[in-house]
Structure formats: C-alpha cells, structure tokens
Amino acid sequence: MAESNTGAMVISALIIGSSIVAGSFLVRTSVDRTGDEVNALKTAIESASRAGPPSRDAAARERIDPNRRYTVNTKDAPVRGDPDAKIAVVEFSDFQCPYCSRSVDTLNQIAQTYGNRVRIVFKHMPLGMHAKAPAAHAAAEAAHRQGEFWPMHDKIFANQTQMSPEKYREYAREIGLDLKRFDRDVADSAVKERIDADAAEAARLGVNGTPAFFVNGRYLKGAVPFEEIKALLDEDLGKAKG
C-alpha cells in the first residue's frame, strides 16, 4: 500500500512538474510575443515621429497642373539670353543632381535654337539629400554677383564628381573673378538667404524634385528631352507672332 502511494505521489509530482514547465513555456511565449508586438509598435511610432506630420506642400504637389501657367519670381536671378525676352524657361536645379547635369545640354540647345527670343533663368534648389550642393550653390551665386554665373555653372556641372569649396575657388580663379570678393560673398548670409528663398518658392509651387522647368509658366517635371520643351516654346512663339 505504501509502495502504491509512493508511486502515485511520483506520478502526481511528474504531472505537476510538467504542468509548471508547460505553463512557464506558455507564459514565456506570450511574453515574448507581447514583447515583439510592443517593439514593433514602438518602431512604428518612432518612424512616424521622425517622418513628422504630412508636409503642408503635399497638397500643392498633388494639385500641380501641367496645363496651368504658374508665375515664377525671376527678379535678380541669373539669366542667359536677352533679360527682356518675354518668353522664359525657368529651371529649378541642384548642382549635385545627376539629372540636372544632363539638362545642361538641353539648356544649350534652347540657347542655340532660340537665341535672344527666349531667356533661360536659373533658380536654386539644393536638395536635402545632397550634402555637397549648398556650397556649390553659394559659389555659383557668388560668381553671379560678379556677372559670371554661367561659367561657374558650367564648370561645376562638368566636374560633378569633384565637388568641393577648393574646386570652386579654383574655378573662380580660372574665370577671372576677384578672389577676395568671391571668398567674402560665398560666406555672406545674404547668399544663403537668396538660395533658401528660391528653394522655398519651389516648395510653394509644388516642386518636389530636380530638375523642374517652367516653360513660359507651364510646368515640366524632370530631365525632359529638348523636343518636349521645344514644342511648348514653338507654340508660344507662334502665338506671339500672331
């Protein structure tokens, strides 16, 4: 009888032990799962926090209309061609953007084809992802103060893999700028304010990438081929003749 009781106790102990182990496993699994869910939720919250609230310009980007004629401020901006030409091609550009580099040929084709009938206007839009862009834009704007924006523009784009303040100063020397004035202007807060103002205007217009063209006020996104810009220019020049 004692042996029977002992056996029963052993079996009971084993059952209880198994139950405890199983219970511990279930609790641990539940805790682990809950921990994973909490971590996932935490990650999602942190990502949303970093992203911040939706941009106030998001709606503007959705509404941008290629058939509408937008008004772009070109006062004191670098101009290629006749500054008084009624028809303008305005480009928002980033010196570190590879697509903007490709657009240099398009600008040259516009200048060669239309001469002084069309003015080409440059607007600054250094993108946040391009760490080297701000210094390049400052150098170009400093060159603009000495009437040599386009030579600096061309040199920076032609050597896009060698972007540095030292290079820009080298280009300034090559194109005959007053280096002391150039150095002073590059560091001038008004130059940065000018660049920031252009970028802010781009945001208000709904531009969210470079290059962006406004052909006599009509918006074209990206490194569009010359023929696409030409079609709009020919249409407007034809109307101007009429």
Side-chain angles (χ1 to χ4, degrees), residues 49-236:
S49 177
R50 285 194 297 269
S55 169
R56 289 181 299 174
D57 298 314
R61 296 189 191 107
E62 292 295 327
R63 292 195 306 269
I64 199 158
D65 182 355
N67 297 311
R68 175 183 166 186
R69 292 189 187 268
Y70 293 83
T71 299
V72 183
N73 179 19
T74 60
K75 187 177 185 299
D76 297 327
V79 176
R80 184 175 177 183
D82 183 355
D84 296 321
K86 293 182 179 180
I87 294 179
V89 174
V90 180
E91 181 194 19
F92 283 90
S93 182
D94 176 331
F95 279 113
Q96 198 175 344
C97 168
Y99 301 103
C100 295
S101 179
R102 296 178 197 172
S103 294
V104 172
D105 287 340
T106 300
L107 298 181
N108 290 337
Q109 285 181 280
I110 294 170
Q112 291 165 7
T113 304
Y114 296 100
N116 284 329
R117 291 183 295 163
V118 174
R119 58 192 166 99
I120 298 169
V121 184
F122 183 95
K123 299 282 283 185
H124 300 280
M125 191 179 168
L127 301 176
M129 69 182 75
H130 291 153
K132 296 180 180 179
H137 283 269
E141 188 63 25
H144 178 43
R145 288 186 172 188
Q146 297 191 46
E148 297 293 343
F149 173 85
W150 294 102
M152 180 65 78
H153 167 279
D154 292 348
K155 281 183 175 293
I156 293 173
F157 274 127
N159 300 280
Q160 204 175 45
T161 59
Q162 304 178 55
M163 297 181 69
S164 71
E166 294 75 23
K167 277 291 181 183
Y168 310 145
R169 198 169 191 278
E170 180 182 315
Y171 304 154
R173 183 184 296 106
E174 291 173 0
I175 61 182
L177 299 185
D178 178 331
L179 291 181
K180 288 185 178 179
R181 181 181 174 187
F182 175 79
D183 292 340
R184 186 169 61 251
D185 288 342
V186 164
D188 189 346
S189 61
V191 165
K192 184 179 184 304
E193 289 170 6
R194 170 76 195 205
I195 295 166
D196 290 346
D198 279 0
E201 182 181 15
R204 287 194 299 272
L205 290 167
V207 176
N208 59 357
T210 56
F213 294 94
F214 286 87
V215 183
N216 214 27
R218 287 187 283 184
Y219 176 69
L220 290 176
K221 181 178 182 178
V224 296
F226 166 69
E227 289 71 22
E228 195 168 340
I229 295 177
K230 183 178 186 297
L232 297 182
L233 289 174
D234 288 347
E235 180 184 336
D236 285 345

